[in-house]
Short mmCIF file of all heavy atoms in Angstrom, two decimals:
data_model
loop_
_atom_site.label_atom_id
_atom_site.label_comp_id
_atom_site.label_asym_id
_atom_site.label_seq_id
_atom_site.Cartn_x
_atom_site.Cartn_y
_atom_site.Cartn_z
N MET W 1736 116.27 67.19 65.45
CA MET W 1736 116.11 68.29 66.30
C MET W 1736 114.75 69.02 66.07
O MET W 1736 114.03 69.38 66.96
CB MET W 1736 117.20 69.39 66.07
CG MET W 1736 118.52 69.06 66.67
SD MET W 1736 118.65 69.48 68.41
CE MET W 1736 119.07 71.25 68.23
N SER W 1737 114.48 69.19 64.77
CA SER W 1737 113.14 69.84 64.39
C SER W 1737 111.95 69.02 64.89
O SER W 1737 111.04 69.53 65.41
CB SER W 1737 113.02 70.01 62.84
OG SER W 1737 114.18 70.77 62.42
N ALA W 1738 112.02 67.63 64.61
CA ALA W 1738 111.01 66.77 65.01
C ALA W 1738 110.90 66.85 66.64
O ALA W 1738 109.74 67.03 67.13
CB ALA W 1738 111.25 65.33 64.71
N ALA W 1739 111.99 66.93 67.24
CA ALA W 1739 111.94 67.07 68.84
C ALA W 1739 111.27 68.36 69.22
O ALA W 1739 110.56 68.34 70.14
CB ALA W 1739 113.31 66.90 69.36
N GLY W 1740 111.58 69.39 68.38
CA GLY W 1740 110.97 70.72 68.74
C GLY W 1740 109.46 70.65 68.55
O GLY W 1740 108.74 71.14 69.43
N VAL W 1741 109.06 70.05 67.45
CA VAL W 1741 107.56 69.93 67.28
C VAL W 1741 107.02 69.09 68.34
O VAL W 1741 105.90 69.56 68.97
CB VAL W 1741 107.23 69.25 65.87
CG1 VAL W 1741 105.84 68.96 65.75
CG2 VAL W 1741 107.82 70.14 64.80
N LEU W 1742 107.57 68.03 68.73
CA LEU W 1742 107.13 67.12 69.83
C LEU W 1742 107.00 67.85 71.06
O LEU W 1742 106.07 67.73 71.88
CB LEU W 1742 108.00 65.94 69.79
CG LEU W 1742 107.42 64.64 70.14
CD1 LEU W 1742 106.38 64.27 69.17
CD2 LEU W 1742 108.52 63.58 70.10
N GLY W 1743 108.03 68.62 71.39
CA GLY W 1743 108.09 69.36 72.62
C GLY W 1743 107.05 70.45 72.73
O GLY W 1743 106.48 70.76 73.87
N ALA W 1744 106.81 71.08 71.53
CA ALA W 1744 105.83 72.23 71.63
C ALA W 1744 104.40 71.76 71.72
O ALA W 1744 103.57 72.40 72.15
CB ALA W 1744 106.06 73.09 70.25
N LEU W 1745 104.18 70.53 71.14
CA LEU W 1745 102.80 70.04 71.01
C LEU W 1745 102.05 69.97 72.23
O LEU W 1745 100.87 70.53 72.29
CB LEU W 1745 102.84 68.61 70.37
CG LEU W 1745 101.77 68.31 69.29
CD1 LEU W 1745 101.65 69.47 68.30
CD2 LEU W 1745 102.00 66.96 68.63
N PRO W 1746 102.52 69.49 73.47
CA PRO W 1746 101.73 69.31 74.63
C PRO W 1746 101.36 70.79 75.08
O PRO W 1746 100.24 71.00 75.47
CB PRO W 1746 102.68 68.68 75.58
CG PRO W 1746 103.67 67.95 74.83
CD PRO W 1746 103.84 68.77 73.60
N ILE W 1747 102.29 71.75 74.98
CA ILE W 1747 101.92 73.17 75.37
C ILE W 1747 100.96 73.79 74.57
O ILE W 1747 100.03 74.53 75.07
CB ILE W 1747 103.31 74.05 75.33
CG1 ILE W 1747 104.26 73.42 76.44
CG2 ILE W 1747 103.02 75.51 75.65
CD1 ILE W 1747 103.79 73.61 77.85
N VAL W 1748 101.02 73.56 73.26
CA VAL W 1748 100.10 74.08 72.27
C VAL W 1748 98.76 73.55 72.60
O VAL W 1748 97.70 74.34 72.76
CB VAL W 1748 100.51 73.96 70.81
CG1 VAL W 1748 99.37 74.37 69.93
CG2 VAL W 1748 101.78 74.66 70.54
N ILE W 1749 98.63 72.19 72.71
CA ILE W 1749 97.33 71.66 73.04
C ILE W 1749 96.82 72.15 74.34
O ILE W 1749 95.61 72.57 74.39
CB ILE W 1749 97.54 70.02 73.22
CG1 ILE W 1749 97.89 69.49 71.77
CG2 ILE W 1749 96.17 69.45 73.64
CD1 ILE W 1749 98.29 68.09 71.74
N PHE W 1750 97.66 72.29 75.38
CA PHE W 1750 97.24 72.70 76.66
C PHE W 1750 96.71 74.21 76.59
O PHE W 1750 95.60 74.59 77.05
CB PHE W 1750 98.44 72.56 77.61
CG PHE W 1750 98.07 73.31 79.01
CD1 PHE W 1750 97.27 72.68 79.91
CD2 PHE W 1750 98.71 74.45 79.31
CE1 PHE W 1750 97.02 73.23 81.15
CE2 PHE W 1750 98.46 75.11 80.48
CZ PHE W 1750 97.60 74.56 81.46
N ALA W 1751 97.45 74.95 75.85
CA ALA W 1751 97.12 76.45 75.77
C ALA W 1751 95.69 76.57 75.05
O ALA W 1751 94.93 77.41 75.49
CB ALA W 1751 98.20 77.23 75.00
N PHE W 1752 95.48 75.78 74.02
CA PHE W 1752 94.19 75.86 73.29
C PHE W 1752 93.07 75.38 74.16
O PHE W 1752 92.04 76.08 74.20
CB PHE W 1752 94.30 75.05 72.09
CG PHE W 1752 94.77 75.83 70.83
CD1 PHE W 1752 95.86 75.57 70.26
CD2 PHE W 1752 94.02 76.89 70.33
CE1 PHE W 1752 96.38 76.24 69.20
CE2 PHE W 1752 94.39 77.61 69.30
CZ PHE W 1752 95.61 77.39 68.74
N SER W 1753 93.31 74.42 75.00
CA SER W 1753 92.30 73.77 75.79
C SER W 1753 91.81 74.80 76.91
O SER W 1753 90.73 74.69 77.42
CB SER W 1753 92.61 72.48 76.23
OG SER W 1753 93.69 72.58 77.20
N VAL W 1754 92.78 75.61 77.42
CA VAL W 1754 92.41 76.49 78.52
C VAL W 1754 92.37 77.93 78.05
O VAL W 1754 92.22 78.82 79.03
CB VAL W 1754 93.40 76.33 79.68
CG1 VAL W 1754 93.31 74.97 80.39
CG2 VAL W 1754 94.80 76.77 79.25
N GLN W 1755 92.31 78.15 76.83
CA GLN W 1755 92.33 79.51 76.33
C GLN W 1755 91.25 80.35 76.90
O GLN W 1755 91.47 81.47 77.31
CB GLN W 1755 92.19 79.49 74.80
CG GLN W 1755 92.50 80.79 74.13
CD GLN W 1755 92.33 80.68 72.65
OE1 GLN W 1755 91.49 79.96 72.14
NE2 GLN W 1755 93.05 81.54 71.89
#
Side-chain angles (χ1 to χ4, degrees):
Chain W
M1736 284 277 278
S1737 302
V1741 171
L1742 215 54
L1745 220 49
I1747 294 294
V1748 171
I1749 293 169
F1750 172 74
F1752 270 112
S1753 64
V1754 295
Q1755 195 183 26

